[in-house]
Amino acid sequence: MPKWDAPFIISDDSIALRIDIDSIAAQVATSLQVENPLGVSANSAKAATVNFSPGFKENFPSQIQQIRDCLKQILESALKDSTSIEQFVGNLVTDRTSRIYC
């Protein structure tokens, strides 16, 4: 896969992670050369069915794995070796019982 723009932004205090889903979706679509299944009528369609191309069942799992691996590398790079993904995500999660709600 080609180099992606940074879809992950970690706050300076490392307590928040912003994920640019639109950027990820656009980059996946262009990187994997996904064609619009509706073709030229995409803007005027009110309903549609999608027929998957031959080989879809065989190729789809490996494409998902490629996307996962690429996003994992990007997030690891954003963390700058300060912590593992598991530790970082663990620090983002808070225990609901320890929060004070007003």
Side-chain angles (χ1 to χ4, degrees):
M1 272 193 190
K3 184 173 178 1
W4 288 14
D5 296 331
F8 302 113
I9 298 171
I10 300 170
S11 65
D12 292 337
D13 56 5
S14 295
I15 62 168
L17 172 65
R18 183 176 148 238
I19 303 172
D20 186 350
I21 294 293
D22 292 332
S23 170
I24 293 171
Q27 290 177 62
V28 166
T30 56
S31 297
L32 297 178
Q33 299 173 345
V34 176
E35 294 181 26
N36 189 328
L38 300 178
V40 295
S41 64
N43 292 332
S44 61
K46 294 186 194 265
T49 61
V50 177
N51 295 317
F52 294 113
S53 60
F56 171 81
K57 185 177 180 180
E58 293 78 22
N59 294 331
F60 186 70
S62 68
Q63 289 176 326
I64 294 299
Q65 185 66 40
Q66 286 176 359
I67 293 166
R68 180 192 170 278
D69 293 345
C70 188
L71 290 173
K72 183 178 178 185
Q73 273 186 323
I74 293 168
L75 182 55
E76 286 171 342
S77 175
L79 291 173
K80 300 179 181 141
D81 298 326
S82 62
T83 186
S84 70
I85 292 174
E86 291 79 12
Q87 289 174 317
F88 177 72
V89 171
N91 290 337
L92 293 177
V93 178
T94 58
D95 183 5
R96 290 183 356 175
T97 59
S98 66
R99 278 197 167 164
I100 299 172
Y101 295 96
C102 297

Coordinates of all heavy atoms in Angstrom, one line a residue:
M1 N 0.8 -1.2 0.0 CA 0.0 0.0 0.0 C 0.9 1.2 0.0 O 1.9 1.3 0.6 CB -0.9 0.0 1.2 CG -2.2 -0.7 1.1 SD -3.3 -0.3 2.4 CE -4.5 -1.5 2.0
P2 N 0.4 2.3 -0.6 CA 1.2 3.5 -0.6 C 1.2 4.2 0.7 O 0.4 3.9 1.6 CB 0.5 4.4 -1.7 CG -0.8 3.8 -1.8 CD -0.8 2.4 -1.4
K3 N 2.1 5.2 0.9 CA 2.1 6.0 2.1 C 0.9 6.8 2.3 O 0.4 7.4 1.4 CB 3.3 6.9 2.0 CG 3.5 7.7 3.3 CD 4.8 8.5 3.3 CE 5.1 9.3 4.5 NZ 4.3 9.3 5.6
W4 N 0.3 6.7 3.5 CA -1.0 7.4 3.8 C -0.7 8.6 4.6 O 0.3 8.8 5.3 CB -1.9 6.5 4.6 CG -2.5 5.3 3.9 CD1 -2.1 4.9 2.7 CD2 -3.5 4.5 4.4 NE1 -2.9 3.8 2.4 CE2 -3.8 3.6 3.4 CE3 -4.3 4.5 5.5 CZ2 -4.7 2.6 3.5 CZ3 -5.3 3.5 5.6 CH2 -5.5 2.6 4.6
D5 N -1.6 9.6 4.5 CA -1.6 10.8 5.3 C -1.9 10.3 6.8 O -2.5 9.2 6.9 CB -2.7 11.8 4.9 CG -2.4 12.4 3.6 OD1 -1.2 12.4 3.2 OD2 -3.4 12.7 2.9
A6 N -1.5 11.0 7.7 CA -1.7 10.6 9.1 C -3.1 10.7 9.5 O -3.7 11.8 9.8 CB -0.8 11.5 10.0
P7 N -3.8 9.5 9.6 CA -5.2 9.5 10.1 C -5.4 9.5 11.6 O -6.5 9.7 12.1 CB -5.8 8.3 9.5 CG -4.6 7.3 9.4 CD -3.4 8.2 9.2
F8 N -4.3 9.4 12.3 CA -4.4 9.4 13.8 C -3.7 10.6 14.4 O -2.5 10.9 14.0 CB -3.7 8.1 14.3 CG -4.2 6.8 13.8 CD1 -3.5 6.0 13.0 CD2 -5.5 6.4 14.2 CE1 -4.0 4.8 12.5 CE2 -6.1 5.2 13.7 CZ -5.3 4.4 12.9
I9 N -4.3 11.3 15.3 CA -3.7 12.4 16.0 C -3.9 12.1 17.5 O -5.0 12.0 18.0 CB -4.4 13.7 15.6 CG1 -4.2 14.0 14.1 CG2 -3.8 14.9 16.4 CD1 -5.0 15.1 13.5
I10 N -2.7 12.1 18.1 CA -2.7 11.8 19.6 C -2.5 13.1 20.3 O -1.6 13.9 19.9 CB -1.6 10.8 19.9 CG1 -1.8 9.5 19.2 CG2 -1.5 10.6 21.4 CD1 -0.6 8.6 19.2
S11 N -3.3 13.4 21.3 CA -3.2 14.6 22.1 C -1.8 14.7 22.7 O -1.2 13.7 23.0 CB -4.3 14.7 23.1 OG -4.2 13.7 24.1
D12 N -1.4 15.9 23.0 CA -0.1 16.1 23.7 C 0.1 15.4 25.0 O 1.2 14.9 25.3 CB 0.2 17.6 23.9 CG 0.4 18.3 22.5 OD1 0.8 17.7 21.5 OD2 0.2 19.6 22.5
D13 N -1.0 15.3 25.7 CA -1.0 14.6 27.0 C -1.3 13.1 26.9 O -1.4 12.4 27.9 CB -1.9 15.2 28.0 CG -3.4 15.3 27.5 OD1 -3.6 14.8 26.4 OD2 -4.2 15.9 28.2
S14 N -1.5 12.6 25.7 CA -1.7 11.2 25.4 C -3.0 10.6 26.0 O -3.0 9.4 26.3 CB -0.5 10.3 25.7 OG 0.6 10.6 24.9
I15 N -4.0 11.5 26.2 CA -5.2 10.9 26.8 C -6.4 11.0 25.8 O -7.5 10.6 26.1 CB -5.6 11.7 28.1 CG1 -5.9 13.2 27.8 CG2 -4.6 11.5 29.2 CD1 -6.6 13.9 28.9
A16 N -6.1 11.4 24.5 CA -7.1 11.4 23.5 C -6.5 11.0 22.2 O -5.4 11.3 21.9 CB -7.7 12.8 23.4
L17 N -7.3 10.3 21.4 CA -6.9 9.8 20.1 C -8.0 10.3 19.1 O -9.2 9.9 19.3 CB -6.8 8.3 20.0 CG -6.5 7.7 18.6 CD1 -5.2 8.1 18.1 CD2 -6.6 6.2 18.8
R18 N -7.6 11.1 18.1 CA -8.5 11.5 17.0 C -8.3 10.6 15.8 O -7.1 10.5 15.4 CB -8.4 13.0 16.7 CG -9.4 13.4 15.7 CD -9.2 14.9 15.4 NE -9.6 15.2 14.1 CZ -8.8 15.7 13.2 NH1 -7.6 16.2 13.5 NH2 -9.2 15.9 11.9
I19 N -9.3 10.0 15.3 CA -9.2 9.2 14.1 C -10.0 9.8 12.9 O -11.2 10.0 13.1 CB -9.7 7.8 14.4 CG1 -9.0 7.1 15.5 CG2 -9.6 6.9 13.1 CD1 -9.6 5.8 16.0
D20 N -9.3 10.1 11.9 CA -9.9 10.7 10.7 C -10.5 9.6 9.8 O -9.8 9.2 8.9 CB -8.9 11.6 10.0 CG -9.5 12.4 8.8 OD1 -10.7 12.1 8.4 OD2 -8.9 13.3 8.3
I21 N -11.7 9.2 10.1 CA -12.3 8.1 9.3 C -12.5 8.4 7.8 O -12.2 7.5 7.0 CB -13.7 7.7 9.9 CG1 -13.5 7.1 11.4 CG2 -14.4 6.7 9.1 CD1 -12.8 5.8 11.4
D22 N -12.8 9.6 7.5 CA -13.0 10.0 6.1 C -11.7 9.9 5.4 O -11.7 9.4 4.2 CB -13.5 11.5 6.0 CG -14.9 11.6 6.5 OD1 -15.7 10.6 6.5 OD2 -15.3 12.7 7.0
S23 N -10.6 10.2 6.0 CA -9.3 10.1 5.3 C -8.9 8.6 5.1 O -8.5 8.3 4.0 CB -8.2 10.8 6.2 OG -6.9 10.5 5.8
I24 N -9.2 7.8 6.1 CA -8.9 6.4 6.0 C -9.8 5.8 4.8 O -9.3 5.1 4.0 CB -9.2 5.6 7.3 CG1 -8.2 6.1 8.3 CG2 -9.2 4.1 7.1 CD1 -8.5 5.6 9.7
A25 N -11.1 6.1 4.8 CA -11.9 5.6 3.8 C -11.5 6.0 2.4 O -11.4 5.2 1.4 CB -13.4 6.0 4.0
A26 N -11.2 7.3 2.2 CA -10.7 7.8 0.9 C -9.4 7.1 0.5 O -9.3 6.8 -0.7 CB -10.6 9.3 1.0
Q27 N -8.5 7.0 1.4 CA -7.2 6.4 1.1 C -7.3 4.9 0.7 O -6.7 4.4 -0.2 CB -6.2 6.7 2.2 CG -5.8 8.1 2.2 CD -4.9 8.5 3.3 OE1 -3.8 8.0 3.4 NE2 -5.4 9.3 4.3
V28 N -8.2 4.2 1.5 CA -8.4 2.8 1.2 C -9.0 2.7 -0.2 O -8.6 1.8 -1.0 CB -9.3 2.1 2.2 CG1 -9.9 0.8 1.7 CG2 -8.6 1.9 3.5
A29 N -10.0 3.5 -0.5 CA -10.7 3.4 -1.8 C -9.8 3.7 -3.0 O -9.8 3.0 -4.0 CB -11.9 4.4 -1.9
T30 N -8.9 4.7 -2.8 CA -8.0 5.0 -3.9 C -6.8 4.0 -3.9 O -6.3 3.6 -5.0 CB -7.4 6.4 -3.8 OG1 -6.8 6.6 -2.5 CG2 -8.5 7.4 -4.0
S31 N -6.3 3.5 -2.8 CA -5.2 2.6 -2.8 C -5.5 1.3 -3.4 O -4.7 0.6 -4.1 CB -4.7 2.4 -1.3 OG -4.2 3.6 -0.8
L32 N -6.7 0.8 -3.0 CA -7.1 -0.5 -3.5 C -7.9 -0.4 -4.8 O -8.4 -1.4 -5.4 CB -8.0 -1.2 -2.5 CG -7.3 -1.6 -1.2 CD1 -8.3 -2.2 -0.2 CD2 -6.1 -2.5 -1.4
Q33 N -8.0 0.8 -5.4 CA -8.7 1.0 -6.6 C -10.1 0.5 -6.7 O -10.5 -0.3 -7.5 CB -7.8 0.5 -7.8 CG -6.5 1.2 -7.9 CD -5.6 0.5 -8.9 OE1 -5.8 -0.6 -9.4 NE2 -4.5 1.2 -9.3
V34 N -10.8 0.8 -5.6 CA -12.2 0.4 -5.5 C -13.1 1.2 -6.4 O -13.1 2.4 -6.4 CB -12.7 0.5 -4.1 CG1 -14.2 0.2 -3.9 CG2 -11.9 -0.3 -3.1
E35 N -13.8 0.5 -7.3 CA -14.7 1.2 -8.2 C -16.1 1.4 -7.6 O -16.5 0.5 -6.9 CB -14.8 0.5 -9.6 CG -13.4 0.5 -10.3 CD -13.6 -0.3 -11.6 OE1 -14.7 -0.3 -12.2 OE2 -12.6 -0.8 -12.1
N36 N -16.7 2.5 -7.9 CA -18.1 2.6 -7.4 C -19.0 1.6 -8.1 O -19.1 1.5 -9.3 CB -18.6 4.0 -7.8 CG -19.9 4.3 -7.1 OD1 -20.7 3.5 -6.9 ND2 -20.1 5.6 -6.8
P37 N -19.6 0.7 -7.3 CA -20.4 -0.4 -7.9 C -21.6 0.2 -8.7 O -22.2 -0.6 -9.5 CB -20.8 -1.2 -6.7 CG -20.7 -0.3 -5.5 CD -19.6 0.7 -5.9
L38 N -22.0 1.4 -8.5 CA -23.2 2.0 -9.2 C -22.8 2.6 -10.5 O -23.6 3.0 -11.2 CB -23.9 3.0 -8.3 CG -24.4 2.4 -7.0 CD1 -25.1 3.5 -6.2 CD2 -25.4 1.2 -7.2
G39 N -21.5 2.8 -10.7 CA -21.0 3.4 -12.0 C -21.4 4.8 -12.1 O -21.5 5.6 -11.1
V40 N -21.7 5.3 -13.3 CA -22.0 6.7 -13.5 C -23.4 7.1 -13.0 O -23.6 8.3 -12.8 CB -22.0 7.0 -15.1 CG1 -20.6 6.8 -15.6 CG2 -23.0 6.1 -15.8
S41 N -24.2 6.2 -12.6 CA -25.5 6.5 -12.1 C -25.5 6.7 -10.6 O -26.6 6.7 -9.9 CB -26.6 5.5 -12.5 OG -26.3 4.3 -12.0
A42 N -24.4 6.7 -10.0 CA -24.3 6.7 -8.5 C -25.0 7.9 -7.9 O -25.6 7.8 -6.8 CB -22.8 6.7 -8.1
N43 N -25.0 9.1 -8.5 CA -25.6 10.3 -7.9 C -27.1 10.3 -8.0 O -27.8 10.9 -7.2 CB -25.0 11.5 -8.5 CG -23.6 11.7 -8.1 OD1 -23.1 11.3 -7.1 ND2 -22.8 12.4 -8.9
S44 N -27.6 9.5 -9.0 CA -29.1 9.6 -9.2 C -29.8 8.3 -8.7 O -31.0 8.2 -8.8 CB -29.4 9.8 -10.6 OG -28.9 8.8 -11.4
A45 N -29.1 7.3 -8.2 CA -29.7 6.1 -7.8 C -30.4 6.2 -6.5 O -30.0 6.9 -5.6 CB -28.6 5.0 -7.7
K46 N -31.6 5.6 -6.5 CA -32.4 5.6 -5.2 C -32.3 4.2 -4.5 O -32.5 4.1 -3.3 CB -33.9 5.9 -5.5 CG -34.0 7.3 -6.0 CD -35.5 7.7 -6.2 CE -35.7 8.9 -7.0 NZ -35.8 10.1 -6.4
A47 N -32.0 3.2 -5.3 CA -31.8 1.9 -4.7 C -30.9 1.1 -5.7 O -30.8 1.4 -6.9 CB -33.1 1.2 -4.6
A48 N -30.2 0.1 -5.2 CA -29.3 -0.7 -6.0 C -29.0 -2.0 -5.4 O -29.1 -2.2 -4.2 CB -28.0 0.1 -6.2
T49 N -28.6 -2.9 -6.2 CA -28.0 -4.2 -5.7 C -26.6 -4.2 -6.1 O -26.2 -3.6 -7.1 CB -28.8 -5.4 -6.2 OG1 -28.6 -5.4 -7.6 CG2 -30.2 -5.4 -5.8
V50 N -25.8 -4.9 -5.4 CA -24.4 -5.1 -5.7 C -24.0 -6.5 -5.9 O -24.3 -7.4 -5.1 CB -23.5 -4.5 -4.6 CG1 -22.0 -4.7 -4.9 CG2 -23.8 -3.0 -4.3
N51 N -23.5 -6.8 -7.1 CA -23.0 -8.1 -7.4 C -21.5 -8.1 -7.2 O -20.8 -7.3 -7.9 CB -23.4 -8.6 -8.8 CG -24.9 -8.7 -8.9 OD1 -25.5 -9.2 -8.0 ND2 -25.4 -8.2 -10.0
F52 N -20.9 -8.9 -6.4 CA -19.5 -9.0 -6.2 C -18.8 -9.7 -7.3 O -19.3 -10.6 -7.9 CB -19.1 -9.6 -4.9 CG -19.6 -8.9 -3.7 CD1 -20.6 -9.4 -2.9 CD2 -19.1 -7.6 -3.4 CE1 -21.1 -8.7 -1.8 CE2 -19.5 -6.9 -2.3 CZ -20.5 -7.4 -1.5
S53 N -17.6 -9.2 -7.7 CA -16.9 -9.7 -8.8 C -16.4 -11.1 -8.5 O -16.2 -11.4 -7.3 CB -15.7 -8.8 -9.2 OG -14.9 -8.6 -8.1
P54 N -16.1 -11.9 -9.5 CA -15.4 -13.2 -9.3 C -14.1 -13.0 -8.5 O -13.4 -12.1 -8.8 CB -15.2 -13.7 -10.7 CG -16.1 -12.9 -11.6 CD -16.3 -11.6 -10.9
G55 N -13.9 -13.9 -7.6 CA -12.7 -13.8 -6.8 C -12.8 -12.9 -5.5 O -11.9 -12.9 -4.7
F56 N -13.9 -12.3 -5.4 CA -14.1 -11.4 -4.2 C -14.0 -12.2 -2.9 O -13.3 -11.7 -2.0 CB -15.5 -10.7 -4.3 CG -15.9 -10.0 -3.0 CD1 -15.4 -8.7 -2.8 CD2 -16.7 -10.6 -2.0 CE1 -15.7 -8.0 -1.6 CE2 -17.0 -9.9 -0.9 CZ -16.5 -8.6 -0.7
K57 N -14.6 -13.3 -2.8 CA -14.6 -14.1 -1.6 C -13.2 -14.5 -1.2 O -12.8 -14.5 0.0 CB -15.4 -15.3 -1.8 CG -15.6 -16.2 -0.5 CD -16.5 -17.3 -0.8 CE -16.7 -18.2 0.5 NZ -17.6 -19.3 0.3
E58 N -12.3 -14.7 -2.2 CA -10.9 -15.1 -1.9 C -10.1 -13.9 -1.6 O -9.2 -14.0 -0.8 CB -10.4 -15.9 -3.1 CG -11.0 -17.2 -3.4 CD -12.4 -17.1 -4.1 OE1 -12.7 -16.1 -4.7 OE2 -13.2 -18.1 -4.0
N59 N -10.3 -12.8 -2.3 CA -9.4 -11.6 -2.1 C -9.8 -10.7 -0.9 O -8.9 -10.1 -0.4 CB -9.5 -10.8 -3.4 CG -8.8 -11.5 -4.5 OD1 -8.0 -12.3 -4.4 ND2 -9.3 -11.2 -5.7
F60 N -11.1 -10.7 -0.5 CA -11.5 -9.7 0.5 C -10.8 -9.9 1.8 O -10.3 -8.9 2.4 CB -13.0 -9.9 0.7 CG -13.6 -8.8 1.6 CD1 -13.6 -7.5 1.3 CD2 -14.1 -9.2 2.9 CE1 -14.2 -6.5 2.1 CE2 -14.6 -8.3 3.7 CZ -14.6 -6.9 3.3
P61 N -10.6 -11.1 2.4 CA -9.9 -11.3 3.7 C -8.5 -10.7 3.6 O -8.0 -10.1 4.6 CB -10.0 -12.8 3.9 CG -11.1 -13.3 3.2 CD -11.2 -12.4 1.9
S62 N -7.8 -10.9 2.5 CA -6.4 -10.5 2.5 C -6.4 -8.9 2.3 O -5.5 -8.3 2.8 CB -5.6 -11.1 1.3 OG -6.1 -10.7 0.1
Q63 N -7.4 -8.4 1.7 CA -7.4 -6.9 1.6 C -7.7 -6.3 2.9 O -7.1 -5.3 3.3 CB -8.5 -6.5 0.6 CG -8.1 -6.7 -0.9 CD -9.2 -6.4 -1.8 OE1 -10.4 -6.5 -1.5 NE2 -8.8 -6.0 -3.0
I64 N -8.6 -6.9 3.7 CA -8.8 -6.4 5.1 C -7.6 -6.5 5.9 O -7.2 -5.6 6.7 CB -10.0 -7.2 5.7 CG1 -11.3 -6.9 5.0 CG2 -10.1 -6.9 7.2 CD1 -11.7 -5.5 5.0
Q65 N -6.8 -7.6 5.8 CA -5.6 -7.8 6.5 C -4.6 -6.7 6.2 O -3.9 -6.2 7.0 CB -5.0 -9.2 6.3 CG -3.8 -9.5 7.1 CD -4.1 -9.6 8.6 OE1 -5.2 -10.1 9.0 NE2 -3.2 -9.1 9.4
Q66 N -4.5 -6.4 4.9 CA -3.5 -5.4 4.4 C -3.9 -4.0 5.0 O -3.0 -3.3 5.5 CB -3.6 -5.2 2.9 CG -2.9 -6.3 2.1 CD -3.1 -6.1 0.6 OE1 -3.8 -5.2 0.2 NE2 -2.6 -7.0 -0.2
I67 N -5.2 -3.7 5.1 CA -5.6 -2.4 5.6 C -5.3 -2.4 7.1 O -4.8 -1.4 7.7 CB -7.2 -2.2 5.4 CG1 -7.4 -2.0 3.9 CG2 -7.7 -1.0 6.2 CD1 -8.9 -2.2 3.5
R68 N -5.6 -3.5 7.8 CA -5.3 -3.6 9.3 C -3.9 -3.4 9.5 O -3.5 -2.7 10.4 CB -5.8 -5.0 9.8 CG -5.6 -5.2 11.2 CD -5.8 -6.7 11.6 NE -5.4 -6.9 13.0 CZ -4.1 -7.2 13.3 NH1 -3.1 -7.1 12.4 NH2 -3.8 -7.4 14.6
D69 N -3.0 -4.1 8.8 CA -1.6 -4.0 9.0 C -1.1 -2.6 8.8 O -0.2 -2.1 9.5 CB -0.8 -5.0 8.1 CG -1.1 -6.5 8.5 OD1 -1.6 -6.7 9.6 OD2 -0.8 -7.4 7.7
C70 N -1.6 -2.0 7.7 CA -1.2 -0.6 7.4 C -1.6 0.4 8.5 O -0.8 1.2 8.9 CB -1.7 -0.2 6.0 SG -1.1 1.4 5.5
L71 N -2.8 0.3 9.0 CA -3.3 1.2 10.0 C -2.5 0.9 11.3 O -2.2 1.9 12.1 CB -4.8 1.0 10.2 CG -5.7 1.5 9.1 CD1 -7.1 1.2 9.3 CD2 -5.5 3.0 8.9
K72 N -2.2 -0.3 11.6 CA -1.4 -0.7 12.8 C -0.1 0.0 12.7 O 0.4 0.6 13.7 CB -1.3 -2.2 13.0 CG -0.6 -2.6 14.2 CD -0.5 -4.1 14.3 CE 0.3 -4.5 15.6 NZ 0.5 -5.9 15.7
Q73 N 0.6 -0.1 11.6 CA 1.9 0.6 11.4 C 1.8 2.1 11.6 O 2.7 2.7 12.2 CB 2.5 0.3 10.0 CG 3.2 -1.0 9.9 CD 3.8 -1.1 8.5 OE1 3.3 -0.7 7.5 NE2 5.0 -1.7 8.5
I74 N 0.8 2.7 11.0 CA 0.6 4.1 11.1 C 0.4 4.5 12.6 O 1.0 5.5 13.1 CB -0.5 4.6 10.2 CG1 -0.2 4.4 8.8 CG2 -0.8 6.1 10.5 CD1 -1.4 4.6 7.8
L75 N -0.4 3.8 13.3 CA -0.7 4.1 14.7 C 0.6 3.9 15.6 O 0.9 4.7 16.4 CB -1.8 3.3 15.3 CG -2.2 3.6 16.7 CD1 -2.5 5.0 17.0 CD2 -3.4 2.7 17.1
E76 N 1.3 2.8 15.3 CA 2.6 2.6 16.0 C 3.6 3.7 15.8 O 4.3 4.2 16.7 CB 3.2 1.2 15.6 CG 2.5 0.0 16.2 CD 2.9 -1.3 15.6 OE1 3.6 -1.3 14.5 OE2 2.7 -2.3 16.3
S77 N 3.6 4.2 14.5 CA 4.5 5.3 14.2 C 4.0 6.6 14.9 O 4.9 7.4 15.4 CB 4.4 5.5 12.7 OG 5.2 6.7 12.3
A78 N 2.7 6.8 15.0 CA 2.2 8.0 15.7 C 2.5 7.9 17.2 O 2.7 9.0 17.8 CB 0.7 8.1 15.5
L79 N 2.6 6.7 17.8 CA 2.9 6.6 19.2 C 4.4 6.9 19.5 O 4.8 7.1 20.6 CB 2.6 5.2 19.7 CG 1.1 4.9 19.8 CD1 0.8 3.4 20.1 CD2 0.4 5.8 20.8
K80 N 5.2 6.8 18.5 CA 6.7 7.2 18.6 C 7.4 6.3 19.6 O 8.2 6.8 20.4 CB 6.9 8.6 18.9 CG 6.3 9.5 17.8 CD 6.5 11.0 18.1 CE 5.9 11.8 17.0 NZ 5.2 12.9 17.4
D81 N 7.1 5.0 19.6 CA 7.8 4.1 20.5 C 7.7 4.4 22.0 O 8.4 3.8 22.8 CB 9.3 4.0 20.1 CG 9.5 3.4 18.7 OD1 8.7 2.6 18.3 OD2 10.5 3.9 18.0
S82 N 6.7 5.2 22.3 CA 6.6 5.6 23.7 C 5.8 4.5 24.5 O 6.0 4.3 25.7 CB 5.9 6.9 23.9 OG 4.6 6.9 23.3
T83 N 5.0 3.8 23.8 CA 4.2 2.8 24.4 C 3.6 1.8 23.3 O 3.6 2.2 22.1 CB 3.0 3.4 25.2 OG1 2.3 2.4 25.9 CG2 2.1 4.2 24.3
S84 N 3.1 0.7 23.7 CA 2.5 -0.2 22.8 C 1.0 0.2 22.5 O 0.5 1.0 23.3 CB 2.5 -1.7 23.3 OG 1.6 -1.8 24.4
I85 N 0.5 -0.3 21.4 CA -0.9 0.1 21.1 C -1.8 -0.4 22.3 O -2.7 0.4 22.7 CB -1.4 -0.5 19.8 CG1 -0.6 0.1 18.6 CG2 -2.9 -0.4 19.6 CD1 -0.9 -0.5 17.3
E86 N -1.6 -1.6 22.8 CA -2.4 -2.1 23.9 C -2.3 -1.2 25.1 O -3.4 -0.9 25.7 CB -2.0 -3.5 24.2 CG -2.3 -4.6 23.1 CD -1.3 -4.5 22.0 OE1 -0.2 -3.9 22.1 OE2 -1.6 -5.1 20.9
Q87 N -1.1 -0.8 25.5 CA -1.0 0.1 26.6 C -1.7 1.4 26.4 O -2.4 2.0 27.3 CB 0.5 0.3 27.0 CG 1.2 -0.8 27.5 CD 2.7 -0.6 27.7 OE1 3.3 0.0 26.8 NE2 3.2 -1.0 28.8
F88 N -1.5 2.0 25.2 CA -2.1 3.3 24.9 C -3.6 3.2 25.0 O -4.2 4.1 25.6 CB -1.6 3.7 23.5 CG -2.3 5.0 23.1 CD1 -1.9 6.2 23.7 CD2 -3.2 5.1 22.1 CE1 -2.5 7.4 23.3 CE2 -3.8 6.3 21.7 CZ -3.4 7.4 22.3
V89 N -4.2 2.2 24.3 CA -5.7 2.1 24.4 C -6.1 1.8 25.8 O -7.2 2.4 26.2 CB -6.1 0.9 23.4 CG1 -7.6 0.6 23.6 CG2 -5.8 1.3 22.0
G90 N -5.4 1.0 26.5 CA -5.8 0.8 27.9 C -5.8 2.1 28.7 O -6.6 2.2 29.6
N91 N -4.9 3.0 28.4 CA -4.9 4.3 29.1 C -6.0 5.2 28.7 O -6.4 6.1 29.4 CB -3.6 5.0 28.9 CG -2.4 4.3 29.6 OD1 -2.6 3.6 30.6 ND2 -1.2 4.5 29.1
L92 N -6.6 5.0 27.5 CA -7.7 5.8 27.0 C -9.0 5.4 27.7 O -9.9 6.2 27.8 CB -7.9 5.6 25.5 CG -6.8 6.2 24.6 CD1 -7.1 5.9 23.2 CD2 -6.6 7.7 24.8
V93 N -9.1 4.1 28.1 CA -10.3 3.5 28.6 C -10.4 3.9 30.1 O -9.4 3.8 30.8 CB -10.3 2.0 28.4 CG1 -11.6 1.4 29.1 CG2 -10.3 1.7 27.0
T94 N -11.6 4.4 30.5 CA -11.8 4.7 31.9 C -12.8 3.8 32.5 O -13.8 3.4 31.8 CB -12.2 6.2 32.1 OG1 -13.4 6.4 31.4 CG2 -11.1 7.1 31.7
D95 N -12.7 3.5 33.7 CA -13.7 2.7 34.4 C -14.9 3.6 34.8 O -14.8 4.6 35.4 CB -13.1 2.2 35.7 CG -14.0 1.2 36.5 OD1 -15.1 0.9 36.0 OD2 -13.6 0.8 37.6
R96 N -16.1 3.2 34.3 CA -17.3 3.9 34.5 C -17.6 4.1 36.0 O -18.2 5.1 36.4 CB -18.5 3.3 33.8 CG -18.4 3.4 32.4 CD -19.6 2.8 31.7 NE -20.6 2.2 32.5 CZ -21.7 1.7 32.2 NH1 -22.1 1.8 30.9 NH2 -22.5 1.2 33.0
T97 N -17.2 3.2 36.8 CA -17.5 3.3 38.3 C -16.6 4.3 39.0 O -17.0 4.8 40.0 CB -17.4 2.0 39.0 OG1 -16.1 1.5 38.8 CG2 -18.4 1.0 38.4
S98 N -15.5 4.6 38.4 CA -14.6 5.6 39.0 C -14.9 7.0 38.6 O -14.3 8.0 39.1 CB -13.1 5.3 38.6 OG -12.9 5.5 37.3
R99 N -15.8 7.2 37.6 CA -16.1 8.6 37.2 C -17.2 9.2 38.1 O -18.1 8.5 38.5 CB -16.6 8.5 35.7 CG -15.5 8.5 34.7 CD -16.1 8.9 33.4 NE -15.0 9.2 32.5 CZ -15.2 9.3 31.2 NH1 -16.4 9.1 30.7 NH2 -14.2 9.6 30.4
I100 N -17.1 10.5 38.2 CA -18.2 11.2 39.0 C -19.0 11.9 37.9 O -18.5 12.7 37.1 CB -17.6 12.2 39.9 CG1 -16.7 11.5 41.0 CG2 -18.7 13.0 40.6 CD1 -15.9 12.4 41.8
Y101 N -20.3 11.6 37.9 CA -21.2 12.2 37.0 C -22.0 13.2 37.6 O -22.5 13.1 38.8 CB -22.2 11.1 36.4 CG -21.5 10.1 35.5 CD1 -21.1 8.9 36.1 CD2 -21.1 10.3 34.2 CE1 -20.4 7.9 35.3 CE2 -20.5 9.4 33.4 CZ -20.1 8.2 34.0 OH -19.5 7.3 33.2
C102 N -22.2 14.3 37.0 CA -23.0 15.5 37.5 C -24.4 15.5 37.0 O -24.6 15.2 35.9 CB -22.3 16.8 37.2 SG -20.7 16.9 38.0

